[in-house]
Amino acid sequence: MTVLLLALLMANGFQLEKCRAVITGASGGLGAEFARQLAPHADTLVLVARRAEALEMVKQELSSFNATILCCVADLATDAGRNEVMTFLETHDVRPNLLINNAGLGDYGSFASSTAEKTRTQIELNITALTMLTHALLPLLCESAGNHALASMATAGVLNVSSLASMLPMPDLAVYAASKSYVTSFSEALAIEMAPKNVIVSCVCPGPTPTNFSQTAKREDGTDTNREGQSLLRIPPSEVVSRALMALQQREACVFPGVGVSIAGRLFRLMPRSVMRWLLKRRHGKE
Ligand SMILES: NC(=O)c1ccc[n+]([C@@H]2O[C@H](COP(=O)([O-])OP(=O)(O)OC[C@H]3O[C@@H](n4cnc5c(N)ncnc54)[C@H](OP(=O)(O)O)[C@@H]3O)[C@@H](O)[C@H]2O)c1
């Protein structure tokens, strides 16, 4: 009987209905799309980003749904900003049962020519913010999962937005790709740690997706990225997000949205590192 109950618990994933979600980087791109797709189901959505007006626009767009939508303006690349999120949740008495760590940025160009500031911001946002917000919210997530320990569906989750780049040591995107390797590895380890507590941890590894990402990653001197082959991998933000939410619902630890990205992700995982370095060197040499 106990075994049957455990099997039932393990088989069922996160339920979106009535979720109370914190979404970072929700003022545009994939984060705003997470808000759009969750709004019909959610009880509460806390949208976090730096640009207050852009957050308000997303909130306006979702005003026809029953969900309570709150905008939390914070710079997650700083300790102060991360603390503001926690204070905001306390002040508004929100006890989230879902954290979507989506905010992130890249930087196109060589490491040697990068600015220390953008490099530090990438690490702060892509790694530190994701890790420390998860750490700060885990007690609440565990509490939510614990309250429903006998329910047939999990009621707490963390969804981390990584990248296909997490599978590659990418020249001219070195810090970004390494930061996303951290996100994928951290998420997969945490998924195992949190499974007995019935907190689902999933990570999504999108390929190139049409958002503001490229604009932000471009350097002021115009340094851009090599887009060769990207058209085979590109899918719309709506498909990335629906696949990511499906991963949570199906307890999948790591997903690669889209056929092209899914094939590439598997190939990169299996490819010997020496072969990968040789291919990346050839590609880099052509630029
Ligand atoms: N688009 C792609 O090709 C692609 C591919 C793979 C993975 N990803 C990942 O997907 C995630 C979302 O990116 P996106 O494509 O949607 O890019 P985006 O359109 O540039 O959106 C980035 C979001 O992060 C927020 N953000 C940036 N810096 C922040 C900070 N310091 N504090 C708080 N929020 C901050 C931005 O809002 P504010 O400017 O208002 O702060 C914005 O809402 C990122 O983790 C990215 O690495 C994207």
Side-chain angles (χ1 to χ4, degrees):
M1 181 65 184
T2 317
V3 174
L4 194 69
L5 188 64
L6 272 175
L8 199 68
L9 279 173
M10 299 311 290
N12 291 310
F14 183 84
Q15 51 176 333
L16 301 182
E17 289 315 311
K18 302 274 176 228
C19 68
R20 304 173 302 281
V22 174
I23 308 171
T24 70
S27 58
L30 293 175
E33 186 57 31
F34 274 113
R36 281 183 203 107
Q37 293 195 21
L38 283 177
H41 309 279
D43 174 84
T44 307
L45 295 179
V46 179
L47 313 181
V48 186
R50 292 166 303 175
R51 289 170 300 142
E53 267 182 35
L55 284 176
E56 281 301 329
M57 278 172 69
V58 177
K59 180 177 171 173
Q60 282 300 318
E61 189 191 326
L62 304 176
S63 58
S64 60
F65 296 102
N66 287 332
T68 302
I69 312 232
L70 302 167
C71 299
C72 171
V73 178
D75 182 351
L76 295 174
T78 65
D79 271 333
R82 298 187 281 263
N83 289 336
E84 274 165 36
V85 176
M86 298 311 293
T87 309
F88 183 94
L89 295 176
E90 259 178 54
T91 312
H92 291 80
D93 200 20
V94 179
R95 301 178 81 74
N97 70 338
L98 174 62
L99 169 63
I100 303 186
N101 281 307
N102 162 76
L105 90 161
D107 180 31
Y108 294 149
S110 75
F111 178 65
S113 61
S114 65
T115 65
E117 192 194 345
K118 201 165 179 187
T119 296
R120 186 185 296 278
T121 306
Q122 274 184 98
I123 295 170
E124 283 289 336
L125 187 62
N126 300 2
I127 296 179
T128 312
L130 173 138
T131 310
M132 299 322 291
L133 272 184
T134 305
H135 192 262
L137 286 176
L138 264 188
L140 285 178
L141 298 176
C142 287
E143 185 188 288
S144 184
N147 283 344
H148 298 81
L150 290 178
S152 60
M153 294 267 197
T155 51
V158 177
L159 178 57
N160 290 332
V161 180
S162 184
S163 170
L164 180 61
S166 70
M167 299 289 125
L168 303 164
M170 289 186 79
D172 291 344
L173 203 54
V175 171
Y176 176 76
S179 74
K180 292 299 184 178
S181 294
Y182 172 94
V183 174
T184 301
S185 172
F186 171 68
S187 307
E188 290 186 315
L190 195 63
I192 297 168
E193 279 188 32
M194 299 313 296
K197 299 207 179 303
N198 210 20
V199 176
I200 296 183
V201 181
S202 298
C203 126
V204 58
C205 297
T209 312
T211 63
N212 224 20
F213 179 86
S214 291
Q215 208 48 44
T216 310
K218 244 185 233 173
R219 296 215 177 137
E220 276 172 19
D221 66 4
T223 306
D224 206 342
T225 193
N226 175 357
R227 294 198 166 72
E228 192 187 322
Q230 283 198 359
S231 56
L232 295 170
L233 305 173
R234 198 172 286 117
I235 60 169
S238 56
E239 285 181 32
V240 171
V241 166
S242 59
R243 183 67 189 91
L245 292 176
M246 194 192 288
L248 262 185
Q249 291 169 287
Q250 297 185 346
R251 280 185 189 264
E252 291 170 286
C254 184
V255 292
F256 296 86
V259 178
V261 173
S262 171
I263 294 170
R266 273 160 229 263
L267 202 68
F268 296 156
R269 271 203 202 258
L270 295 173
M271 192 180 282
R273 218 54 180 180
S274 55
V275 174
M276 182 180 281
R277 280 198 303 274
W278 180 78
L279 288 171
L280 287 165
K281 199 168 164 188
R282 273 195 74 203
R283 188 174 195 263
H284 191 236
K286 274 202 239 160
E287 289 168 30

